[in-house]
Amino acid sequence: MDDLIFFATCPRGLESVLATELAQLSGTSIEVVQGGVVFRGSWQTCYRVNLESRIASRILWRIAQQNYRSEADIYRITFQLPWQTWFSPKLTIRVKVSAIKCALRSLDFVTLKIKDAVCDKFRKIKNTRPDVDTANPDIRIHGFLDQQQLTLYLDTSGEALFKRNLRKSSGNAPIRENLAAGILALTGWKPGVPLLDPMCGSGTFLMEAAQISSRIAPGINRHFAFEQFTLFDSSVWKQLKEAALNWQLPCTSQLIFGSDLSGYAIADARENLISNHLAEIVQLKQANILEISPPHQLGGIIVMNPPYGVRMSEQQLLADFYPKLGDRLKKKFSGWCAYILTADPSLPKLIRLNPSRRTPLFNGALECRLLEYRMVEGSMRKGEPRSSDSVPADLAVISSDQ
């Protein structure tokens, strides 16, 4: 089966860089849609994308796409599929349904009809049926409905691909790994270019950059749902993993720098890097972002996820902090390009710099913006007062790696 259809999901805003990545991983007939990318390939392509994609959230195999008008049609379409050839009834299942402009009354009822159809098919053919496990299923079945069509998928990934088993310490609500990797792709950063995260928190950006620098496949230390499919080819999978391991580079010092005001955050980041054998790659230090200087004489890329205010007291702290941040970047980081991920709508105005690009992104359900600032002399808006380079003490308690 060399012409299967897959749908790679991703955080909204990363579709374009995911499409580029999938082309590099042998995907064909690539089509960007909202929330992901449709592509074609063989089972080997599917295995490789799961193993090596840094940006995708899940890889879904499209098994049906047909018109429907009622819940009875949903049942019929699902029942006619050869489920018994794809996985064993000894495995547990979970059905998840989403929809846009669907006229049916209840998605819960649609979910039940799909589950019933799968179980009834197994009962008819095998005289037994799979159990349902909504928490930790072996097999995930996804249904999507629009006004006219039902699309059914088998999830080849299992746990979401951003769950790379990297974290020992996570601090406060870190960003997801595939969002961090996607942001690095949006910045155009490549190994060898200086990279600084001056509000690194538990080190999500740093770990992703370190893995990229050492060519470590992000899925090399985890399992995938496709390994339980009846169609699974273990020899092909073994060859792909061996090739990925042979492709890795030794973990040596790179121009990747991280700092944070919080000593606890630096300790978390260091523990995460050490536990994944990445500590040699990244240079860490505890530092106030408003007091640091460029860690390398060449220009480079700054990427950060600064705190955003939830309570009124936090908002006032940040209203004082953002202008100082913009001032420090302008005065000390000429020749660098800064990328700031923020969910705070006040930041673009308060930082007093003119963004050259604004990219809408989502961190889970949280709508954010990735702001690009090219730091050249005169990039600060004229007439703004200079501020003293000090972070209010209370700001240290607001997470910098959300």
Side-chain angles (χ1 to χ4, degrees):
M1 301 178 72
D2 295 327
D3 195 32
L4 304 169
I5 300 175
F6 299 99
F7 179 48
T9 66
C10 69
R12 281 183 286 169
L14 297 183
E15 293 92 344
S16 62
V17 288
L18 174 58
T20 300
E21 181 185 62
L22 291 171
Q24 296 168 347
L25 296 175
S26 303
T28 62
S29 302
I30 291 170
E31 177 188 357
V32 173
V33 298
Q34 186 175 3
V37 178
V38 179
F39 68 100
R40 291 176 180 265
S42 64
W43 279 116
Q44 180 170 338
T45 308
C46 171
Y47 299 169
R48 186 183 177 195
V49 171
N50 273 288
L51 177 64
E52 298 187 33
S53 175
R54 302 184 188 278
I55 303 171
S57 298
R58 294 182 180 277
I59 308 302
L60 307 179
W61 171 33
R62 186 196 294 178
I63 55 176
Q65 189 170 65
Q66 293 187 35
N67 290 341
Y68 75 94
R69 289 193 298 180
S70 66
E71 290 87 348
D73 292 332
I74 301 292
Y75 180 93
R76 174 184 52 79
I77 294 167
T78 306
F79 184 83
Q80 70 185 8
L81 295 172
W83 299 98
Q84 73 282 358
T85 68
W86 295 332
F87 61 90
S88 166
K90 295 179 181 179
L91 301 179
T92 58
I93 64 169
R94 176 188 175 185
V95 178
K96 182 177 181 180
V97 175
S98 57
I100 295 178
K101 299 180 179 179
C102 171
L104 299 181
R105 289 174 297 175
S106 169
L107 289 187
D108 288 339
F109 187 57
V110 170
T111 302
L112 181 63
K113 297 300 285 185
I114 293 174
K115 186 270 294 182
D116 287 346
V118 174
C119 292
D120 289 349
K121 185 60 172 283
F122 270 106
R123 191 179 287 111
K124 178 180 179 181
I125 302 297
K126 298 285 189 178
N127 200 32
T128 186
R129 49 152 286 182
D131 291 329
V132 173
D133 183 344
T134 59
N136 188 31
D138 298 312
I139 301 293
R140 290 170 167 85
I141 300 164
H142 296 257
F144 175 74
L145 298 166
D146 61 18
Q147 284 182 308
Q148 294 181 317
Q149 284 192 321
L150 164 68
T151 306
L152 288 171
Y153 302 95
L154 273 181
D155 188 337
T156 71
S157 302
E159 290 280 9
L161 295 180
F162 62 79
K163 296 183 179 181
R164 317 220 205 279
N165 297 328
L166 296 179
R167 297 185 187 281
K168 301 301 179 184
S169 300
S170 60
N172 292 325
I175 68 171
R176 291 176 175 177
E177 288 83 346
N178 62 332
L179 177 58
I183 288 171
L184 291 176
L186 286 171
T187 71
W189 176 79
K190 302 291 183 184
V193 175
L195 178 72
L196 168 65
D197 181 356
M199 305 185 80
C200 69
S202 59
T204 306
F205 284 118
L206 303 177
M207 285 193 291
E208 289 301 309
Q211 286 206 316
I212 292 168
S213 294
S214 293
R215 302 199 304 219
I216 298 171
I220 197 68
N221 291 319
R222 54 160 287 171
H223 292 286
F224 301 92
F226 63 72
E227 296 178 69
Q228 301 194 77
F229 288 4
T230 306
L231 301 167
F232 176 57
D233 190 329
S234 59
S235 62
V236 169
W237 177 231
K238 181 180 179 182
Q239 291 170 10
L240 285 171
K241 292 186 71 174
E242 289 176 350
L245 290 170
N246 291 334
W247 179 244
Q248 287 185 18
L249 295 174
C251 292
T252 57
S253 180
Q254 302 287 328
L255 299 177
I256 302 173
F257 307 90
S259 60
D260 201 284
L261 177 65
S262 166
Y264 292 108
I266 290 297
D268 286 346
R270 181 170 287 111
E271 182 180 2
N272 287 331
L273 290 164
I274 290 172
S275 65
N276 291 286
H277 310 289
L278 301 172
E280 296 288 331
I281 300 175
V282 178
Q283 301 177 51
L284 281 177
K285 69 175 182 179
Q286 184 177 357
N288 185 335
I289 189 174
L290 301 183
E291 297 173 353
I292 63 173
S293 296
H296 198 274
Q297 62 184 3
L298 298 176
I301 289 175
I302 301 168
V303 61
M304 70 178 92
N305 178 28
Y308 61 94
V310 177
R311 297 182 294 272
M312 288 300 296
S313 59
E314 294 172 348
Q315 293 173 10
Q316 184 56 53
L317 284 170
L318 293 172
D320 295 336
F321 168 68
Y322 288 149
K324 298 174 185 178
L325 173 61
D327 195 20
R328 189 68 181 182
L329 291 173
K330 189 262 180 180
K331 289 196 298 184
K332 293 295 184 179
F333 286 87
S334 178
W336 288 66
C337 194
Y339 293 85
I340 303 177
L341 179 69
T342 182
D344 189 341
S346 68
L347 185 147
K349 179 180 178 180
L350 294 174
I351 200 171
R352 297 171 183 168
L353 297 172
N354 294 314
S356 50
R357 183 170 54 159
R358 302 170 185 242
T359 304
L361 294 172
F362 282 78
N363 184 18
L366 185 64
E367 185 173 1
C368 303
R369 291 291 184 274
L370 181 66
L371 306 172
E372 176 189 81
Y373 297 99
R374 297 188 177 277
M375 307 313 303
V376 296
E377 289 297 331
S379 61
M380 179 72 78
R381 291 178 179 173
K382 294 181 179 179
E384 298 292 353
R386 298 300 185 200
S387 304
S388 61
D389 287 358
S390 61
V391 174
D394 291 345
L395 191 62
V397 305
I398 307 175
S399 171
S400 57
D401 187 6
Q402 297 172 28

